Amino acid sequence: MNEIFEAIKKASVEIQKIIDVGDTGKSENENSTGDTQLKLDIASDIVIEKIFATIPSIKAIVSEEQEAIVPLNEDGEYLIAYDPLDGSSLVDVNLSVGSIYGIYKNDFTAQNIIAAVYVVFGPRVEMVVAADNCVKMYKLFNNSFEYIQDITLNEKGTITATGSTQMCWPDHHRILVNKMFKDGYYLRYSGGMVPDLHQILLKGGGLFSYPGTTDKPKGKLRQLFEVFPFALTYEFAGGAASDGSKRALDVETTHIHDTTPCFFGSKDEINKVLEVYKENV
Ligand code: FDP
């Protein structure tokens, strides 16, 4: 799998250049989830696909920005689902954005994800790799990634980040968030999944949630490109991830662009989610 990690490093160096000098405006296209694509989303997607196409061990890829699975090498072993540049709404205001990759075997299901990578494009470029039961962070220096540290979560954290608008939260989600504030948690939400989840991982714990809402009962975040890669990363870091009633990595996928409500955190916070949701749904 090393050649895949190397390919992601190479793509990330290119994407950083695109973010630095590229056009941050909107394109005329929508992706399959109905989001207007930015020119940067499309440019990043092209870079990644071009680089993955040169790797013999990759059987097929599917991008959040594309409708269908793209077959690459019949004899390849790995399937990759990726979101080339997550957090499009933050690009124009210069907040951090990121790429997310889920590496699967056999098929694109939660049970078959074996590794995950995400890259944060912020004041620094950092890459986090979840594989073989551990989570490792690398930092970009002069076009090359250097190992910095392993990441592990504490049993309990101090920050909470929750998506959508309160107007659309179900009552049990409002109860959960209010309870956390009463217990002393700090709100830390940029609106970018990658930097928000990265912050919780690096600060040792807390909760990131994107619930099912009145406008999006199945949540907003996509299973293959966003939820499963981070679920694996949080589990490998010693935390947990859920859909509100069960382990996120037990969620079933019927379509590559399926979404699911999702919660990622240290074990203590995920237990809190399960308790509150069980009592109040
Ligand atoms: P964005 O729409 O900017 O691409 O993946 C979608 C995402 O960002 C996540 O990065 C982020 O956590 C979430 O949507 C934010 O959604 P809300 O604005 O509804 O909170």
Side-chain angles (χ1 to χ4, degrees), residues 35 41 64-65 83 85-91 97 100 162-165 169 189-197 208-210 213 215-216 220-222 226:
D35 305 327
D41 291 328
E64 205 246 330
E65 300 303 335
D83 183 351
L85 206 58
D86 185 81
S88 314
S89 62
L90 305 175
V91 167
V97 291
I100 312 167
T162 183
S164 184
T165 156
W169 289 351
Y189 186 67
S190 77
M193 180 183 197
V194 176
D196 286 335
L197 281 159
F208 176 97
S209 45
Y210 204 110
T213 53
D215 59 338
K216 293 184 177 105
K220 175 180 182 187
L221 301 177
R222 296 85 169 172
E226 295 169 317

PDB file of all heavy atoms in Angstrom, residues 35 41 64-65 83 85-91 97 100 162-165 169 189-197 208-210 213 215-216 220-222 226, ligand 1:
ATOM      1  N   ASP A  35     -23.944  19.660  -4.974  1.00  0.00           N
ATOM      2  CA  ASP A  35     -23.123  20.832  -4.626  1.00  0.00           C
ATOM      3  C   ASP A  35     -22.550  21.438  -5.902  1.00  0.00           C
ATOM      4  O   ASP A  35     -22.110  20.702  -6.795  1.00  0.00           O
ATOM      5  CB  ASP A  35     -21.908  20.437  -3.754  1.00  0.00           C
ATOM      6  CG  ASP A  35     -22.304  19.685  -2.506  1.00  0.00           C
ATOM      7  OD1 ASP A  35     -23.387  19.971  -1.971  1.00  0.00           O
ATOM      8  OD2 ASP A  35     -21.518  18.813  -2.070  1.00  0.00           O
ATOM      9  N   ASP A  41     -12.072  22.181  -6.928  1.00  0.00           N
ATOM     10  CA  ASP A  41     -12.507  20.780  -6.736  1.00  0.00           C
ATOM     11  C   ASP A  41     -12.158  19.979  -7.988  1.00  0.00           C
ATOM     12  O   ASP A  41     -11.617  18.877  -7.917  1.00  0.00           O
ATOM     13  CB  ASP A  41     -14.037  20.682  -6.583  1.00  0.00           C
ATOM     14  CG  ASP A  41     -14.567  21.267  -5.287  1.00  0.00           C
ATOM     15  OD1 ASP A  41     -13.854  21.200  -4.277  1.00  0.00           O
ATOM     16  OD2 ASP A  41     -15.703  21.790  -5.289  1.00  0.00           O
ATOM     17  N   GLU A  64     -15.697  11.796  -5.000  1.00  0.00           N
ATOM     18  CA  GLU A  64     -16.909  12.491  -4.568  1.00  0.00           C
ATOM     19  C   GLU A  64     -17.409  13.442  -5.662  1.00  0.00           C
ATOM     20  O   GLU A  64     -18.586  13.754  -5.745  1.00  0.00           O
ATOM     21  CB  GLU A  64     -16.562  13.275  -3.291  1.00  0.00           C
ATOM     22  CG  GLU A  64     -17.732  13.557  -2.405  1.00  0.00           C
ATOM     23  CD  GLU A  64     -18.018  15.038  -2.334  1.00  0.00           C
ATOM     24  OE1 GLU A  64     -17.082  15.851  -2.451  1.00  0.00           O
ATOM     25  OE2 GLU A  64     -19.194  15.384  -2.163  1.00  0.00           O
ATOM     26  N   GLU A  65     -16.485  13.873  -6.511  1.00  0.00           N
ATOM     27  CA  GLU A  65     -16.832  14.821  -7.575  1.00  0.00           C
ATOM     28  C   GLU A  65     -17.318  14.139  -8.847  1.00  0.00           C
ATOM     29  O   GLU A  65     -17.606  14.809  -9.823  1.00  0.00           O
ATOM     30  CB  GLU A  65     -15.629  15.713  -7.895  1.00  0.00           C
ATOM     31  CG  GLU A  65     -15.132  16.549  -6.722  1.00  0.00           C
ATOM     32  CD  GLU A  65     -16.212  17.452  -6.128  1.00  0.00           C
ATOM     33  OE1 GLU A  65     -17.160  17.805  -6.850  1.00  0.00           O
ATOM     34  OE2 GLU A  65     -16.124  17.777  -4.941  1.00  0.00           O
ATOM     35  N   ASP A  83     -12.432  12.232  -1.563  1.00  0.00           N
ATOM     36  CA  ASP A  83     -13.000  13.569  -1.733  1.00  0.00           C
ATOM     37  C   ASP A  83     -11.796  14.478  -1.978  1.00  0.00           C
ATOM     38  O   ASP A  83     -10.995  14.722  -1.075  1.00  0.00           O
ATOM     39  CB  ASP A  83     -13.747  13.976  -0.446  1.00  0.00           C
ATOM     40  CG  ASP A  83     -14.425  15.325  -0.602  1.00  0.00           C
ATOM     41  OD1 ASP A  83     -14.179  16.014  -1.608  1.00  0.00           O
ATOM     42  OD2 ASP A  83     -15.199  15.704   0.294  1.00  0.00           O
ATOM     43  N   LEU A  85     -11.228  17.687  -2.483  1.00  0.00           N
ATOM     44  CA  LEU A  85     -11.060  18.927  -1.707  1.00  0.00           C
ATOM     45  C   LEU A  85     -12.348  19.191  -0.936  1.00  0.00           C
ATOM     46  O   LEU A  85     -13.295  19.760  -1.463  1.00  0.00           O
ATOM     47  CB  LEU A  85     -10.735  20.093  -2.646  1.00  0.00           C
ATOM     48  CG  LEU A  85      -9.949  21.231  -2.015  1.00  0.00           C
ATOM     49  CD1 LEU A  85      -8.624  20.750  -1.432  1.00  0.00           C
ATOM     50  CD2 LEU A  85      -9.689  22.325  -3.036  1.00  0.00           C
ATOM     51  N   ASP A  86     -12.341  18.736   0.311  1.00  0.00           N
ATOM     52  CA  ASP A  86     -13.533  18.896   1.141  1.00  0.00           C
ATOM     53  C   ASP A  86     -13.526  20.271   1.808  1.00  0.00           C
ATOM     54  O   ASP A  86     -12.466  20.771   2.174  1.00  0.00           O
ATOM     55  CB  ASP A  86     -13.538  17.794   2.213  1.00  0.00           C
ATOM     56  CG  ASP A  86     -14.796  17.823   3.039  1.00  0.00           C
ATOM     57  OD1 ASP A  86     -15.811  17.286   2.570  1.00  0.00           O
ATOM     58  OD2 ASP A  86     -14.780  18.405   4.135  1.00  0.00           O
ATOM     59  N   GLY A  87     -14.725  20.848   1.962  1.00  0.00           N
ATOM     60  CA  GLY A  87     -14.824  22.144   2.638  1.00  0.00           C
ATOM     61  C   GLY A  87     -14.840  23.286   1.645  1.00  0.00           C
ATOM     62  O   GLY A  87     -14.316  24.372   1.905  1.00  0.00           O
ATOM     63  N   SER A  88     -15.491  23.030   0.506  1.00  0.00           N
ATOM     64  CA  SER A  88     -15.491  24.020  -0.574  1.00  0.00           C
ATOM     65  C   SER A  88     -15.973  25.397  -0.119  1.00  0.00           C
ATOM     66  O   SER A  88     -15.489  26.422  -0.608  1.00  0.00           O
ATOM     67  CB  SER A  88     -16.421  23.573  -1.692  1.00  0.00           C
ATOM     68  OG  SER A  88     -16.208  22.245  -1.989  1.00  0.00           O
ATOM     69  N   SER A  89     -16.908  25.423   0.834  1.00  0.00           N
ATOM     70  CA  SER A  89     -17.466  26.717   1.232  1.00  0.00           C
ATOM     71  C   SER A  89     -16.449  27.552   2.013  1.00  0.00           C
ATOM     72  O   SER A  89     -16.713  28.709   2.329  1.00  0.00           O
ATOM     73  CB  SER A  89     -18.734  26.507   2.055  1.00  0.00           C
ATOM     74  OG  SER A  89     -18.407  25.797   3.223  1.00  0.00           O
ATOM     75  N   LEU A  90     -15.286  26.968   2.322  1.00  0.00           N
ATOM     76  CA  LEU A  90     -14.290  27.711   3.108  1.00  0.00           C
ATOM     77  C   LEU A  90     -13.132  28.236   2.263  1.00  0.00           C
ATOM     78  O   LEU A  90     -12.308  29.006   2.747  1.00  0.00           O
ATOM     79  CB  LEU A  90     -13.719  26.794   4.205  1.00  0.00           C
ATOM     80  CG  LEU A  90     -14.768  26.173   5.123  1.00  0.00           C
ATOM     81  CD1 LEU A  90     -14.122  25.193   6.073  1.00  0.00           C
ATOM     82  CD2 LEU A  90     -15.478  27.264   5.901  1.00  0.00           C
ATOM     83  N   VAL A  91     -13.085  27.804   1.003  1.00  0.00           N
ATOM     84  CA  VAL A  91     -11.947  28.155   0.156  1.00  0.00           C
ATOM     85  C   VAL A  91     -11.845  29.670  -0.030  1.00  0.00           C
ATOM     86  O   VAL A  91     -10.773  30.259   0.125  1.00  0.00           O
ATOM     87  CB  VAL A  91     -12.057  27.449  -1.217  1.00  0.00           C
ATOM     88  CG1 VAL A  91     -11.080  28.030  -2.207  1.00  0.00           C
ATOM     89  CG2 VAL A  91     -11.809  25.967  -1.061  1.00  0.00           C
ATOM     90  N   VAL A  97      -8.901  23.609   4.346  1.00  0.00           N
ATOM     91  CA  VAL A  97      -9.684  22.605   3.629  1.00  0.00           C
ATOM     92  C   VAL A  97      -8.873  21.306   3.629  1.00  0.00           C
ATOM     93  O   VAL A  97      -7.768  21.265   4.189  1.00  0.00           O
ATOM     94  CB  VAL A  97     -10.007  23.061   2.182  1.00  0.00           C
ATOM     95  CG1 VAL A  97     -10.973  24.221   2.180  1.00  0.00           C
ATOM     96  CG2 VAL A  97      -8.732  23.434   1.427  1.00  0.00           C
ATOM     97  N   ILE A 100      -9.677  13.752   1.486  1.00  0.00           N
ATOM     98  CA  ILE A 100      -9.925  12.534   2.288  1.00  0.00           C
ATOM     99  C   ILE A 100      -9.889  11.321   1.353  1.00  0.00           C
ATOM    100  O   ILE A 100     -10.491  11.350   0.267  1.00  0.00           O
ATOM    101  CB  ILE A 100     -11.320  12.576   2.955  1.00  0.00           C
ATOM    102  CG1 ILE A 100     -11.574  13.920   3.651  1.00  0.00           C
ATOM    103  CG2 ILE A 100     -11.479  11.426   3.958  1.00  0.00           C
ATOM    104  CD1 ILE A 100     -13.030  14.134   4.054  1.00  0.00           C
ATOM    105  N   THR A 162     -20.368  20.727  15.885  1.00  0.00           N
ATOM    106  CA  THR A 162     -21.572  20.102  15.337  1.00  0.00           C
ATOM    107  C   THR A 162     -22.098  20.861  14.126  1.00  0.00           C
ATOM    108  O   THR A 162     -22.091  22.088  14.106  1.00  0.00           O
ATOM    109  CB  THR A 162     -22.631  19.928  16.439  1.00  0.00           C
ATOM    110  OG1 THR A 162     -23.754  19.250  15.902  1.00  0.00           O
ATOM    111  CG2 THR A 162     -23.080  21.246  17.034  1.00  0.00           C
ATOM    112  N   GLY A 163     -22.525  20.095  13.124  1.00  0.00           N
ATOM    113  CA  GLY A 163     -22.884  20.684  11.836  1.00  0.00           C
ATOM    114  C   GLY A 163     -24.342  21.041  11.678  1.00  0.00           C
ATOM    115  O   GLY A 163     -25.148  20.838  12.578  1.00  0.00           O
ATOM    116  N   SER A 164     -24.672  21.597  10.525  1.00  0.00           N
ATOM    117  CA  SER A 164     -25.996  22.058  10.137  1.00  0.00           C
ATOM    118  C   SER A 164     -26.404  23.271  10.972  1.00  0.00           C
ATOM    119  O   SER A 164     -25.545  23.940  11.559  1.00  0.00           O
ATOM    120  CB  SER A 164     -27.023  20.929  10.267  1.00  0.00           C
ATOM    121  OG  SER A 164     -28.275  21.371   9.801  1.00  0.00           O
ATOM    122  N   THR A 165     -27.722  23.561  11.009  1.00  0.00           N
ATOM    123  CA  THR A 165     -28.209  24.697  11.780  1.00  0.00           C
ATOM    124  C   THR A 165     -29.161  24.191  12.860  1.00  0.00           C
ATOM    125  O   THR A 165     -29.888  23.202  12.631  1.00  0.00           O
ATOM    126  CB  THR A 165     -28.931  25.713  10.870  1.00  0.00           C
ATOM    127  OG1 THR A 165     -29.852  26.472  11.658  1.00  0.00           O
ATOM    128  CG2 THR A 165     -29.698  25.044   9.751  1.00  0.00           C
ATOM    129  N   TRP A 169     -31.967  20.815  13.659  1.00  0.00           N
ATOM    130  CA  TRP A 169     -31.572  19.689  14.524  1.00  0.00           C
ATOM    131  C   TRP A 169     -32.808  19.012  15.096  1.00  0.00           C
ATOM    132  O   TRP A 169     -33.773  19.696  15.484  1.00  0.00           O
ATOM    133  CB  TRP A 169     -30.756  20.181  15.731  1.00  0.00           C
ATOM    134  CG  TRP A 169     -29.377  20.656  15.430  1.00  0.00           C
ATOM    135  CD1 TRP A 169     -28.691  20.557  14.254  1.00  0.00           C
ATOM    136  CD2 TRP A 169     -28.510  21.326  16.354  1.00  0.00           C
ATOM    137  NE1 TRP A 169     -27.447  21.119  14.393  1.00  0.00           N
ATOM    138  CE2 TRP A 169     -27.310  21.593  15.676  1.00  0.00           C
ATOM    139  CE3 TRP A 169     -28.620  21.722  17.685  1.00  0.00           C
ATOM    140  CZ2 TRP A 169     -26.228  22.240  16.282  1.00  0.00           C
ATOM    141  CZ3 TRP A 169     -27.554  22.366  18.298  1.00  0.00           C
ATOM    142  CH2 TRP A 169     -26.361  22.617  17.587  1.00  0.00           C
ATOM    143  N   TYR A 189     -15.958  24.905  15.853  1.00  0.00           N
ATOM    144  CA  TYR A 189     -16.502  24.433  14.578  1.00  0.00           C
ATOM    145  C   TYR A 189     -16.133  25.407  13.470  1.00  0.00           C
ATOM    146  O   TYR A 189     -16.570  26.551  13.480  1.00  0.00           O
ATOM    147  CB  TYR A 189     -18.034  24.312  14.682  1.00  0.00           C
ATOM    148  CG  TYR A 189     -18.696  23.694  13.467  1.00  0.00           C
ATOM    149  CD1 TYR A 189     -18.485  22.364  13.149  1.00  0.00           C
ATOM    150  CD2 TYR A 189     -19.533  24.440  12.642  1.00  0.00           C
ATOM    151  CE1 TYR A 189     -19.089  21.782  12.035  1.00  0.00           C
ATOM    152  CE2 TYR A 189     -20.151  23.870  11.529  1.00  0.00           C
ATOM    153  CZ  TYR A 189     -19.919  22.537  11.241  1.00  0.00           C
ATOM    154  OH  TYR A 189     -20.515  21.962  10.147  1.00  0.00           O
ATOM    155  N   SER A 190     -15.305  24.952  12.526  1.00  0.00           N
ATOM    156  CA  SER A 190     -14.937  25.845  11.417  1.00  0.00           C
ATOM    157  C   SER A 190     -15.883  25.661  10.246  1.00  0.00           C
ATOM    158  O   SER A 190     -15.999  26.525   9.396  1.00  0.00           O
ATOM    159  CB  SER A 190     -13.502  25.566  10.969  1.00  0.00           C
ATOM    160  OG  SER A 190     -13.447  24.385  10.176  1.00  0.00           O
ATOM    161  N   GLY A 191     -16.546  24.474  10.176  1.00  0.00           N
ATOM    162  CA  GLY A 191     -17.398  24.167   9.026  1.00  0.00           C
ATOM    163  C   GLY A 191     -16.656  23.352   7.979  1.00  0.00           C
ATOM    164  O   GLY A 191     -17.191  23.070   6.917  1.00  0.00           O
ATOM    165  N   GLY A 192     -15.432  22.964   8.289  1.00  0.00           N
ATOM    166  CA  GLY A 192     -14.664  22.081   7.396  1.00  0.00           C
ATOM    167  C   GLY A 192     -14.444  20.781   8.152  1.00  0.00           C
ATOM    168  O   GLY A 192     -13.814  20.761   9.205  1.00  0.00           O
ATOM    169  N   MET A 193     -14.954  19.697   7.587  1.00  0.00           N
ATOM    170  CA  MET A 193     -14.857  18.421   8.285  1.00  0.00           C
ATOM    171  C   MET A 193     -13.403  18.035   8.594  1.00  0.00           C
ATOM    172  O   MET A 193     -13.101  17.543   9.681  1.00  0.00           O
ATOM    173  CB  MET A 193     -15.517  17.370   7.393  1.00  0.00           C
ATOM    174  CG  MET A 193     -15.505  16.013   7.976  1.00  0.00           C
ATOM    175  SD  MET A 193     -16.222  14.828   6.834  1.00  0.00           S
ATOM    176  CE  MET A 193     -16.526  13.491   7.978  1.00  0.00           C
ATOM    177  N   VAL A 194     -12.529  18.249   7.604  1.00  0.00           N
ATOM    178  CA  VAL A 194     -11.140  17.799   7.794  1.00  0.00           C
ATOM    179  C   VAL A 194     -10.456  18.568   8.942  1.00  0.00           C
ATOM    180  O   VAL A 194      -9.977  17.949   9.903  1.00  0.00           O
ATOM    181  CB  VAL A 194     -10.339  17.872   6.476  1.00  0.00           C
ATOM    182  CG1 VAL A 194      -8.886  17.492   6.696  1.00  0.00           C
ATOM    183  CG2 VAL A 194     -10.964  16.962   5.429  1.00  0.00           C
ATOM    184  N   PRO A 195     -10.428  19.916   8.904  1.00  0.00           N
ATOM    185  CA  PRO A 195      -9.780  20.598  10.022  1.00  0.00           C
ATOM    186  C   PRO A 195     -10.514  20.412  11.350  1.00  0.00           C
ATOM    187  O   PRO A 195      -9.868  20.344  12.406  1.00  0.00           O
ATOM    188  CB  PRO A 195      -9.774  22.073   9.606  1.00  0.00           C
ATOM    189  CG  PRO A 195     -10.752  22.179   8.487  1.00  0.00           C
ATOM    190  CD  PRO A 195     -10.798  20.844   7.827  1.00  0.00           C
ATOM    191  N   ASP A 196     -11.843  20.293  11.322  1.00  0.00           N
ATOM    192  CA  ASP A 196     -12.577  20.115  12.585  1.00  0.00           C
ATOM    193  C   ASP A 196     -12.255  18.764  13.230  1.00  0.00           C
ATOM    194  O   ASP A 196     -12.046  18.671  14.438  1.00  0.00           O
ATOM    195  CB  ASP A 196     -14.089  20.259  12.358  1.00  0.00           C
ATOM    196  CG  ASP A 196     -14.490  21.716  12.129  1.00  0.00           C
ATOM    197  OD1 ASP A 196     -13.754  22.614  12.593  1.00  0.00           O
ATOM    198  OD2 ASP A 196     -15.527  21.969  11.483  1.00  0.00           O
ATOM    199  N   LEU A 197     -12.193  17.722  12.412  1.00  0.00           N
ATOM    200  CA  LEU A 197     -11.858  16.412  12.973  1.00  0.00           C
ATOM    201  C   LEU A 197     -10.370  16.312  13.327  1.00  0.00           C
ATOM    202  O   LEU A 197      -9.988  15.632  14.276  1.00  0.00           O
ATOM    203  CB  LEU A 197     -12.255  15.318  11.980  1.00  0.00           C
ATOM    204  CG  LEU A 197     -13.756  15.029  12.019  1.00  0.00           C
ATOM    205  CD1 LEU A 197     -14.227  14.370  10.743  1.00  0.00           C
ATOM    206  CD2 LEU A 197     -14.107  14.145  13.199  1.00  0.00           C
ATOM    207  N   PHE A 208     -17.191  15.377  17.234  1.00  0.00           N
ATOM    208  CA  PHE A 208     -17.646  16.001  15.984  1.00  0.00           C
ATOM    209  C   PHE A 208     -18.945  15.295  15.621  1.00  0.00           C
ATOM    210  O   PHE A 208     -19.003  14.068  15.591  1.00  0.00           O
ATOM    211  CB  PHE A 208     -16.631  15.797  14.857  1.00  0.00           C
ATOM    212  CG  PHE A 208     -17.120  16.340  13.531  1.00  0.00           C
ATOM    213  CD1 PHE A 208     -16.748  17.604  13.096  1.00  0.00           C
ATOM    214  CD2 PHE A 208     -17.965  15.574  12.719  1.00  0.00           C
ATOM    215  CE1 PHE A 208     -17.215  18.110  11.877  1.00  0.00           C
ATOM    216  CE2 PHE A 208     -18.437  16.072  11.506  1.00  0.00           C
ATOM    217  CZ  PHE A 208     -18.055  17.345  11.086  1.00  0.00           C
ATOM    218  N   SER A 209     -19.986  16.067  15.350  1.00  0.00           N
ATOM    219  CA  SER A 209     -21.248  15.425  14.972  1.00  0.00           C
ATOM    220  C   SER A 209     -21.871  16.103  13.764  1.00  0.00           C
ATOM    221  O   SER A 209     -21.815  17.326  13.628  1.00  0.00           O
ATOM    222  CB  SER A 209     -22.235  15.458  16.136  1.00  0.00           C
ATOM    223  OG  SER A 209     -22.255  16.718  16.749  1.00  0.00           O
ATOM    224  N   TYR A 210     -22.440  15.290  12.886  1.00  0.00           N
ATOM    225  CA  TYR A 210     -23.315  15.812  11.838  1.00  0.00           C
ATOM    226  C   TYR A 210     -24.552  14.915  11.856  1.00  0.00           C
ATOM    227  O   TYR A 210     -24.567  13.823  11.300  1.00  0.00           O
ATOM    228  CB  TYR A 210     -22.662  15.834  10.451  1.00  0.00           C
ATOM    229  CG  TYR A 210     -23.358  16.898   9.601  1.00  0.00           C
ATOM    230  CD1 TYR A 210     -22.709  18.064   9.243  1.00  0.00           C
ATOM    231  CD2 TYR A 210     -24.696  16.753   9.246  1.00  0.00           C
ATOM    232  CE1 TYR A 210     -23.369  19.067   8.538  1.00  0.00           C
ATOM    233  CE2 TYR A 210     -25.357  17.759   8.545  1.00  0.00           C
ATOM    234  CZ  TYR A 210     -24.698  18.902   8.194  1.00  0.00           C
ATOM    235  OH  TYR A 210     -25.358  19.895   7.518  1.00  0.00           O
ATOM    236  N   THR A 213     -30.966  15.586  10.050  1.00  0.00           N
ATOM    237  CA  THR A 213     -31.660  16.846  10.335  1.00  0.00           C
ATOM    238  C   THR A 213     -33.028  16.845   9.652  1.00  0.00           C
ATOM    239  O   THR A 213     -33.317  15.954   8.855  1.00  0.00           O
ATOM    240  CB  THR A 213     -30.811  18.028   9.811  1.00  0.00           C
ATOM    241  OG1 THR A 213     -30.501  17.790   8.425  1.00  0.00           O
ATOM    242  CG2 THR A 213     -29.529  18.185  10.598  1.00  0.00           C
ATOM    243  N   ASP A 215     -34.045  18.761   7.338  1.00  0.00           N
ATOM    244  CA  ASP A 215     -33.892  18.902   5.880  1.00  0.00           C
ATOM    245  C   ASP A 215     -33.093  17.767   5.258  1.00  0.00           C
ATOM    246  O   ASP A 215     -33.228  17.477   4.066  1.00  0.00           O
ATOM    247  CB  ASP A 215     -33.287  20.276   5.512  1.00  0.00           C
ATOM    248  CG  ASP A 215     -31.921  20.511   6.146  1.00  0.00           C
ATOM    249  OD1 ASP A 215     -31.604  19.867   7.169  1.00  0.00           O
ATOM    250  OD2 ASP A 215     -31.158  21.341   5.612  1.00  0.00           O
ATOM    251  N   LYS A 216     -32.228  17.118   6.073  1.00  0.00           N
ATOM    252  CA  LYS A 216     -31.428  15.996   5.547  1.00  0.00           C
ATOM    253  C   LYS A 216     -31.479  14.860   6.566  1.00  0.00           C
ATOM    254  O   LYS A 216     -30.534  14.680   7.359  1.00  0.00           O
ATOM    255  CB  LYS A 216     -29.966  16.430   5.334  1.00  0.00           C
ATOM    256  CG  LYS A 216     -29.792  17.457   4.222  1.00  0.00           C
ATOM    257  CD  LYS A 216     -28.311  17.755   4.017  1.00  0.00           C
ATOM    258  CE  LYS A 216     -28.114  18.712   2.871  1.00  0.00           C
ATOM    259  NZ  LYS A 216     -27.787  20.077   3.258  1.00  0.00           N
ATOM    260  N   LYS A 220     -25.595  14.794   6.052  1.00  0.00           N
ATOM    261  CA  LYS A 220     -25.020  15.424   4.858  1.00  0.00           C
ATOM    262  C   LYS A 220     -23.755  14.706   4.385  1.00  0.00           C
ATOM    263  O   LYS A 220     -23.429  14.701   3.205  1.00  0.00           O
ATOM    264  CB  LYS A 220     -24.679  16.877   5.191  1.00  0.00           C
ATOM    265  CG  LYS A 220     -23.964  17.619   4.096  1.00  0.00           C
ATOM    266  CD  LYS A 220     -23.653  19.049   4.482  1.00  0.00           C
ATOM    267  CE  LYS A 220     -22.982  19.776   3.335  1.00  0.00           C
ATOM    268  NZ  LYS A 220     -22.515  21.116   3.731  1.00  0.00           N
ATOM    269  N   LEU A 221     -23.041  14.112   5.324  1.00  0.00           N
ATOM    270  CA  LEU A 221     -21.692  13.634   4.977  1.00  0.00           C
ATOM    271  C   LEU A 221     -21.742  12.245   4.335  1.00  0.00           C
ATOM    272  O   LEU A 221     -22.513  11.376   4.734  1.00  0.00           O
ATOM    273  CB  LEU A 221     -20.807  13.669   6.220  1.00  0.00           C
ATOM    274  CG  LEU A 221     -20.691  15.091   6.807  1.00  0.00           C
ATOM    275  CD1 LEU A 221     -19.879  15.106   8.082  1.00  0.00           C
ATOM    276  CD2 LEU A 221     -20.122  16.072   5.788  1.00  0.00           C
ATOM    277  N   ARG A 222     -20.924  12.094   3.314  1.00  0.00           N
ATOM    278  CA  ARG A 222     -20.973  10.887   2.477  1.00  0.00           C
ATOM    279  C   ARG A 222     -20.211   9.745   3.133  1.00  0.00           C
ATOM    280  O   ARG A 222     -19.081   9.926   3.600  1.00  0.00           O
ATOM    281  CB  ARG A 222     -20.358  11.144   1.096  1.00  0.00           C
ATOM    282  CG  ARG A 222     -21.079  12.148   0.245  1.00  0.00           C
ATOM    283  CD  ARG A 222     -20.610  13.508   0.609  1.00  0.00           C
ATOM    284  NE  ARG A 222     -21.043  14.555  -0.317  1.00  0.00           N
ATOM    285  CZ  ARG A 222     -20.847  15.842  -0.076  1.00  0.00           C
ATOM    286  NH1 ARG A 222     -20.276  16.243   1.042  1.00  0.00           N
ATOM    287  NH2 ARG A 222     -21.234  16.734  -0.941  1.00  0.00           N
ATOM    288  N   GLU A 226     -16.162  10.286   3.221  1.00  0.00           N
ATOM    289  CA  GLU A 226     -15.948  11.118   4.407  1.00  0.00           C
ATOM    290  C   GLU A 226     -16.098  10.328   5.702  1.00  0.00           C
ATOM    291  O   GLU A 226     -15.216  10.333   6.552  1.00  0.00           O
ATOM    292  CB  GLU A 226     -16.948  12.294   4.384  1.00  0.00           C
ATOM    293  CG  GLU A 226     -16.708  13.229   3.209  1.00  0.00           C
ATOM    294  CD  GLU A 226     -17.820  14.248   2.996  1.00  0.00           C
ATOM    295  OE1 GLU A 226     -19.010  13.894   3.088  1.00  0.00           O
ATOM    296  OE2 GLU A 226     -17.503  15.420   2.736  1.00  0.00           O
TER     297      GLU A 226
HETATM  298  P1  FDP B   1     -18.666  21.812   2.475  1.00  0.00           P
HETATM  299  O1  FDP B   1     -20.160  21.819   2.320  1.00  0.00           O
HETATM  300  O2  FDP B   1     -18.086  23.188   2.652  1.00  0.00           O
HETATM  301  O3  FDP B   1     -17.959  21.018   1.407  1.00  0.00           O
HETATM  302  O4  FDP B   1     -18.327  17.838   3.118  1.00  0.00           O
HETATM  303  C1  FDP B   1     -19.193  18.815   3.317  1.00  0.00           C
HETATM  304  C2  FDP B   1     -18.869  19.863   4.357  1.00  0.00           C
HETATM  305  O5  FDP B   1     -18.326  21.043   3.855  1.00  0.00           O
HETATM  306  C3  FDP B   1     -17.950  19.391   5.514  1.00  0.00           C
HETATM  307  O6  FDP B   1     -16.601  19.640   5.291  1.00  0.00           O
HETATM  308  C4  FDP B   1     -18.468  20.164   6.696  1.00  0.00           C
HETATM  309  O7  FDP B   1     -18.220  19.550   7.929  1.00  0.00           O
HETATM  310  C5  FDP B   1     -19.936  20.262   6.409  1.00  0.00           C
HETATM  311  O8  FDP B   1     -20.098  20.144   4.988  1.00  0.00           O
HETATM  312  C6  FDP B   1     -20.503  21.568   6.857  1.00  0.00           C
HETATM  313  O9  FDP B   1     -21.873  21.570   6.685  1.00  0.00           O
HETATM  314  P2  FDP B   1     -22.798  22.681   7.399  1.00  0.00           P
HETATM  315  O10 FDP B   1     -22.453  23.989   6.757  1.00  0.00           O
HETATM  316  O11 FDP B   1     -24.177  22.215   7.099  1.00  0.00           O
HETATM  317  O12 FDP B   1     -22.512  22.668   8.876  1.00  0.00           O
END
